[in-house]
Amino acid sequence: MRAVLIGGTSHTGKSTVAKAIAARLGFAYRPTDLLARHPGRPWRTPEREVPPHVAEHYGTLAVDELIRSVRDHYDRLWPRIEELIAEQVRGEGPGLVLEGSALWPGRVAGLTVPHTNSVWFTADDAVLSARVRRSARGEERRDLVDKFLARSLRFQQLMVESVDAHGLCRIDTSGRSVEELVAAVLSRPCRRQP
């Protein structure tokens, strides 16, 4: 195995588990968000305020429009993701753990890159809601957080439909430790490419 791909919606634990897998395997870790970022989370963090365009994005678009916008972004990003995976698999250095919502199941199912393993993380709706709200604690614009959450839940629903339609693997992260999730990903290769 040269590449581990972990997809899923926001707040399912992709980054945390991907970093742990990379450390265990001695692989490089990379989030798809660093390739090109779509409007991020609409709440403040200690490092940044919510940019006006992000507030406008979540404040003015309906959930289906938000989904269409992010899926269009991921479609534009896919050639770079596919190239990154192929480069890593051909290379002689360490393998790669790549994680992000941009790893859409239908696209990954069509990869012809050998030695890859892919999995999608999900979380129970109540767990996902609690994680988002905890992350956005103290945010004054609850309407934006609510819209982000609605988009995340709908994205997860569509993603699960695609995972299942392509016979791919998904793991529910609800109530599971990082160690349990690392073991689940590594012990159960869900989809190896030829």
Side-chain angles (χ1 to χ4, degrees), residues 27-102:
F27 283 13
Y29 160 77
R30 189 140 187 203
T32 60
D33 280 352
L34 290 183
L35 300 175
R37 191 159 179 93
H38 193 261
R41 298 172 180 154
W43 54 84
R44 284 175 278 140
T45 66
E47 299 82 36
R48 73 168 183 87
E49 290 293 320
V50 178
H53 74 278
V54 173
E56 180 181 354
H57 181 77
Y58 287 100
T60 60
L61 297 178
V63 172
D64 286 340
E65 293 170 313
L66 292 170
I67 294 290
R68 198 167 24 260
S69 173
V70 76
R71 290 287 310 276
D72 287 348
H73 170 70
Y74 294 157
D75 286 346
R76 288 187 302 274
L77 191 56
W78 181 252
R80 177 64 188 121
I81 292 171
E82 191 172 25
E83 177 183 303
L84 178 67
I85 295 166
E87 286 172 2
Q88 193 67 41
V89 169
R90 282 192 309 263
E92 295 186 22
L96 173 68
V97 180
L98 182 66
E99 61 86 6
S101 299

Side-chain angles (χ1 to χ4, degrees), residues 37-171:
R37 191 159 179 93
H38 193 261
R41 298 172 180 154
W43 54 84
R44 284 175 278 140
T45 66
E47 299 82 36
R48 73 168 183 87
E49 290 293 320
V50 178
H53 74 278
V54 173
E56 180 181 354
H57 181 77
Y58 287 100
T60 60
L61 297 178
V63 172
D64 286 340
E65 293 170 313
L66 292 170
I67 294 290
R68 198 167 24 260
S69 173
V70 76
R71 290 287 310 276
D72 287 348
H73 170 70
Y74 294 157
D75 286 346
R76 288 187 302 274
L77 191 56
W78 181 252
R80 177 64 188 121
I81 292 171
E82 191 172 25
E83 177 183 303
L84 178 67
I85 295 166
E87 286 172 2
Q88 193 67 41
V89 169
R90 282 192 309 263
E92 295 186 22
L96 173 68
V97 180
L98 182 66
E99 61 86 6
S101 299
L103 295 171
W104 190 252
R107 294 276 192 182
V108 172
L111 277 175
T112 58
V113 178
H115 313 296
T116 62
N117 185 29
S118 57
V119 63
W120 283 264
F121 282 1
T122 62
D124 177 85
D125 287 358
V127 170
L128 191 58
S129 297
R131 289 176 181 172
V132 167
R133 294 199 188 291
R134 188 171 44 251
S135 179
R137 66 184 171 276
E139 178 55 49
E140 296 167 8
R141 294 287 312 268
R142 300 306 299 172
D143 60 318
L144 300 181
V145 175
D146 291 344
K147 189 73 75 74
F148 178 89
L149 177 57
R151 188 207 74 172
S152 297
L153 292 169
R154 179 69 177 132
F155 186 92
Q156 178 170 266
Q157 178 186 20
L158 295 169
M159 182 202 70
V160 164
E161 290 170 7
S162 184
V163 166
D164 292 350
H166 289 92
L168 300 171
C169 182
R170 57 186 163 101
I171 296 174

